[in-house]
């Protein structure tokens, strides 16, 4: 598994994808994290990396400062404290990391970070998470899905909120005109980063919205939060709205539901059961259709009020 991983894809000044096109992969990534770490393991990351630990003043040496911030990420992710090399060069992506068998960490960042230090912490959060997942033996097949796994893990484990904060719109000089240019890091859309961070806030009580400096990032977080709250209002959860519960009751009487419903029924009418995704970790939960009950997800230990 030795090799290298390219870092968070970067968009600067061009069109930025919005919405939730990678949501299925994000949810698979959350399930994989809980399966690999357990609920107790995830809870060890209940406190996010604090901004003051990764702020990078203009008068700090770029190499020494990058090393300092990288060590913050290494400590946060509880990786072994080993020799680290961080360099800068022109590249197509924001960064890359060498995934070697030894204890050393070799990280390269885009040359622009030598002078624009605002997002060094965000780039290093992604790269060091690559190392963390490599050492866990956790990866998805295909570059795209594996990068989405890395972004999701970085955000959900408390380091990657900086990747959302890297999303901003600023005035930029284009020829003789000043226009607004958008910048972001990461493979997830801004709203998907908001979704993962909102999931983290709902599960662990760690809400980073007050830390976001960019108004565009704050808007994306709120959009992600609304999508995350929708997961808590889907049947057979008791918090589902009246219309959704009526539709669920109709499907239950028929003993079948369309794939788009998000739940499925199995068994004869006398022993009908419903299966659905846990709104925290997306592990499938299977319950008897027995009216109001409380369930506990066996994977993430979330307690759920249900009306099956």
């Amino acid at each position: 598994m030795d090799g290298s991983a390219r870092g968070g894809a970067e968009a600067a000044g061009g069109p930025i994808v919005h919405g939730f096109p990678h949501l299925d992969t994000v949810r698979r990534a959350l399930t994989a994290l809980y399966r690999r770490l357990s609920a107790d393991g995830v809870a060890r990351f209940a406190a996010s990396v604090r901004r003051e630990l990764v702020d990078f003043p203009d008068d700090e040496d770029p190499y020494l400062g990058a090393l300092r911030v990288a060590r913050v990420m290494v400590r946060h992710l509880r990786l072994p404290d080993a020799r680290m090399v961080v360099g800068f060069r022109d590249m197509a992506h924001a960064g890359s990391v060498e995934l070697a068998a030894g204890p050393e960490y070799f990280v390269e960042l885009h040359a622009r970070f030598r002078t624009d230090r605002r997002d060094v912490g965000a780039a290093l959060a992604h790269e060091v998470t690559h190392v963390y997942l490599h050492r866990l033996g956790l990866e998805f097949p295909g570059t795209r899905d594996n990068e989405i796994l890395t972004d999701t893990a970085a955000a959900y484990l408390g380091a990657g909120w900086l990747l959302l904060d890297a999303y901003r719109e600023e005035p930029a000089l284009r020829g003789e005109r000043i226009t607004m240019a958008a910048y972001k890091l990461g493979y997830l859309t801004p709203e998907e980063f908001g979704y993962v961070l909102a999931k983290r806030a709902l599960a662990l009580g760690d809400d980073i919205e007050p830390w976001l400096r960019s108004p565009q990032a704050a808007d994306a977080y709120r959009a992600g939060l609304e999508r995350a709250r929708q997961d808590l209002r889907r049947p057979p959860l008791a918090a589902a709205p009246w219309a959704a519960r009526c539709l669920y009751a109709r499907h239950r009487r028929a003993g079948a539901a369309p794939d788009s419903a998000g739940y499925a029924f199995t068994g004869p009418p006398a022993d009908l059961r419903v299966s659905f995704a846990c709104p925290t970790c997306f592990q499938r939960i299977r319950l008897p259709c027995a009216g109001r009950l409380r369930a506990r997800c066996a994977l993430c230990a979330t307690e759920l009020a249900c009306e099956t």
Side-chain angles (χ1 to χ4, degrees), residues 15-85:
I16 290 177
V17 176
H18 287 279
F20 302 91
H22 312 114
L23 205 55
D24 288 344
T25 309
V26 167
R27 289 169 172 169
R28 285 197 299 114
L30 291 174
T31 306
L33 270 181
Y34 273 99
R35 284 177 179 166
R36 186 65 182 84
L37 295 178
S38 79
D40 289 341
V42 170
R44 294 174 65 199
F45 298 94
S48 291
V49 170
R50 299 192 64 82
R51 182 183 290 282
E52 60 265 24
L53 296 178
V54 296
D55 275 345
F56 200 151
D58 291 339
D59 58 355
E60 187 172 8
D61 179 88
Y63 292 93
L64 295 179
L67 281 173
R68 173 182 59 78
V69 175
R71 289 192 182 102
V72 169
M73 297 301 172
V74 166
R75 287 194 297 270
H76 177 78
L77 292 173
R78 294 169 171 79
L79 285 164
D81 188 11
R83 185 173 74 91
M84 185 174 303
V85 178

Side-chain angles (χ1 to χ4, degrees), residues 48-49 51 159-168 190 193-195 197-198 207-225:
S48 291
V49 170
R51 182 183 290 282
W161 69 270
L162 295 158
L163 286 156
L164 175 58
D165 201 40
Y167 170 52
R168 65 178 70 88
F193 272 121
Y195 176 82
L197 292 166
D207 184 2
I208 53 79
E209 183 181 359
W211 296 359
L212 297 172
R213 292 175 176 172
S214 159
Q216 291 80 27
D219 287 344
Y221 177 84
R222 294 183 196 113
L225 177 60

